[in-house]
Amino acid sequence: MTLMERLLAAGYPRDQIFSHESDLYVFVTPLTKRVVDEWCKENGYSLHWHCPIFRDQVTNRPMFDCAFAYTPYFIKVGKKEGA
């Protein structure tokens, strides 16, 4: 299961998932911290390397920046290549 699927299955709201190209951005909450931590551990990833935290410029809230974890980007790119 992808990180994005895990977040949605855990109840994280779809309208609070943001992206830039293939990077996935979600607010740091107890729920996202648990899901991101588990995902990193299961995949042998470093939380600080694969999902560093930054401050959102609009809300000033902390967010995870998970590289290459925004699934719709890859679906879109795959469709372009197969066209």
Side-chain angles (χ1 to χ4, degrees), residues 49-68:
W49 181 256
H50 291 91
C51 292
I53 295 173
F54 71 98
R55 287 235 172 238
D56 173 46
Q57 291 182 353
V58 176
T59 66
N60 200 36
R61 292 173 54 194
M63 295 188 88
F64 286 110
D65 175 1
C66 299
F68 310 113

Side-chain angles (χ1 to χ4, degrees), residues 19-32:
S19 67
H20 174 72
E21 304 229 348
S22 65
D23 290 354
L24 172 75
Y25 304 136
V26 292
F27 291 107
V28 176
T29 68
L31 175 87
T32 60

Side-chain angles (χ1 to χ4, degrees), residues 2-3 6 35-43 45 51:
T2 67
L3 176 57
R6 289 175 184 228
V35 172
V36 170
D37 281 343
E38 289 173 1
W39 179 77
C40 283
K41 286 178 186 172
E42 288 177 18
N43 289 286
Y45 299 152
C51 292

